[in-house]
Amino acid sequence: MTTVLVVDDQFLIRAGLVGLLRAAPGIEVVGEASDGAEGVLLAARTAPQVILMDVRMPGMNGIEATERILAAAGDPPPRILMLTTFDLDEYVYGALRAGACGFLLKDSGPERLLAAVTAIAGGDALFAPSVTRRLVEAYARQTVCEQPPDLQALTAREREVLKLIARGLSNLEIAERLYISEATVKTHLNRTMTKLDLDSRAQAVVVAYESGLVTPGG
């Protein structure tokens, strides 16, 4: 059973999401919140596996709520899926930078939503890498990092894998490019995320750009 928390300030959207999820087999809605602050409290109380988080809300927005939830979470932390009305959204970029696992457009159909929840609960990347790359490229060059990520702790192969992930390649494509197994790619990625204290593959993409390992349009 996958436990889900829904956070959205618009009642009709929130009610629709909750109703859809409750009707789906294998999913249990453990709470719903009308703003980011309430979402943080409910996340701590219910410890959901997946959180559907509206990115733009009055008061505490989805970025701040994501940061607070992940900072206080146990192990494993919840996997946060951002809900947005358009894909090139600077708020979504900020949320991915904070550790959200991906994003979903609000006008996605029921099948897409349920597939996304299932995928994210299983630890898979659910967003199209090309879309994520386009989003990150659009905002990475505009974002000023007071302290750019330091990649010196990474081995040459880990840096190579990170660069290809940022370019939008899947684990299988990276394995074929580097002539290694897919399991080895996953090992390099896991070690990279541990060394850099990252929570998601999307966050790794952001770090690759902000560190200068990959440049927008390069």
Side-chain angles (χ1 to χ4, degrees), residues 24 28 51 81 91 94 96 110 146 169 182-183 188-189 195 202 206 209:
E28 178 188 0
I51 300 175
L81 175 63
Y91 276 58
L96 295 180
E146 296 180 0
L169 275 68
E182 193 172 356
H188 286 310
L189 176 57
K195 289 179 180 180
V206 171
Y209 278 90

Side-chain angles (χ1 to χ4, degrees), residues 66-193:
T66 294
E67 291 174 339
R68 293 196 181 195
I69 288 170
L70 292 178
D75 189 23
R79 299 181 64 78
I80 301 178
L81 175 63
M82 308 309 298
L83 300 173
T84 181
T85 54
F86 58 102
D87 55 6
L88 286 181
D89 187 339
E90 62 182 317
Y91 276 58
V92 173
Y93 172 77
L96 295 180
R97 194 177 184 220
C101 292
F103 64 95
L104 190 69
L105 295 177
K106 287 189 176 183
D107 60 2
S108 299
E111 296 82 5
R112 174 66 175 157
L113 172 68
L114 295 176
V117 170
T118 300
I120 202 172
D124 295 332
L126 63 98
F127 44 81
S130 60
V131 175
T132 302
R133 176 183 171 183
R134 188 157 55 94
L135 172 73
V136 174
E137 285 196 346
Y139 294 104
R141 72 179 74 201
Q142 302 175 17
T143 301
V144 177
C145 290
E146 296 180 0
Q147 189 172 10
D150 185 356
L151 305 184
Q152 290 186 358
L154 303 184
T155 65
R157 182 46 63 91
E158 287 166 353
R159 290 166 66 94
E160 196 171 13
V161 169
L162 179 58
K163 182 183 292 187
L164 293 175
I165 286 171
R167 288 298 184 207
L169 275 68
S170 67
N171 288 352
L172 179 59
E173 290 169 333
I174 294 172
E176 293 173 347
R177 175 79 64 91
L178 300 180
Y179 302 102
I180 57 179
S181 70
E182 193 172 356
T184 300
V185 173
K186 291 179 180 178
T187 297
H188 286 310
L189 176 57
N190 289 337
R191 287 176 178 169
T192 295
M193 292 177 67

Side-chain angles (χ1 to χ4, degrees), residues 29-93:
V29 178
V30 295
E32 54 179 295
S34 59
D35 58 47
E38 186 181 9
V40 172
L41 293 175
L42 283 178
R45 187 182 309 160
T46 62
Q49 294 169 276
V50 175
I51 300 175
L52 298 184
M53 176 78 72
D54 185 15
V55 71
R56 291 176 178 260
M57 294 180 287
M60 185 186 296
N61 62 36
I63 301 174
E64 185 178 352
T66 294
E67 291 174 339
R68 293 196 181 195
I69 288 170
L70 292 178
D75 189 23
R79 299 181 64 78
I80 301 178
L81 175 63
M82 308 309 298
L83 300 173
T84 181
T85 54
F86 58 102
D87 55 6
L88 286 181
D89 187 339
E90 62 182 317
Y91 276 58
V92 173
Y93 172 77

